Amino acid sequence: MTGMSRAECLRSSRTGWRIGAIVAGAAVLATTALTMVSRDDASAATGCGSGTYQAEAALSGSTWTAKNGGSTVYTGTDMRAAMQAAVNSLT
């Protein structure tokens, strides 16, 4: 408290308390938001792959095959090309 009046010291300690309360509140909000995001991600992950799809790229041995419905749109060894062909076949 050297060099400060009693009023300045009280103001300083109140400001410190307020900053502490703000930081604590922000931490609670951030934790809550992260928990909510995690729960949403978990829900999405549970349903991942459960719906219907129009195109697929599948690996058999060393050959990638991309299909859309009954039509084969790519056959070869390049995974990226197979995935791109599957995506390009979507309407």
Side-chain angles (χ1 to χ4, degrees):
M1 197 162 112
T2 8
M4 281 191 189
S5 70
R6 180 168 167 70
E8 289 172 327
C9 184
L10 285 173
R11 248 193 321 271
S12 176
S13 69
R14 284 187 197 131
T15 302
W17 179 85
R18 287 182 187 141
I19 290 172
I22 290 169
V23 169
V28 168
L29 290 174
T31 303
T32 303
L34 288 174
T35 302
M36 290 171 63
V37 168
S38 297
R39 287 185 185 149
D40 289 344
D41 288 347
S43 299
T46 330
C48 184
S50 65
T52 59
Y53 53 90
Q54 295 176 337
E56 66 177 327
L59 179 64
S60 176
S62 61
T63 303
W64 283 94
T65 303
K67 293 181 180 180
N68 185 332
S71 303
T72 300
V73 293
Y74 175 85
T75 302
T77 57
D78 187 348
M79 178 188 73
R80 191 210 57 81
M83 293 172 59
Q84 190 64 58
V87 169
N88 290 344
S89 73
L90 298 171
T91 55

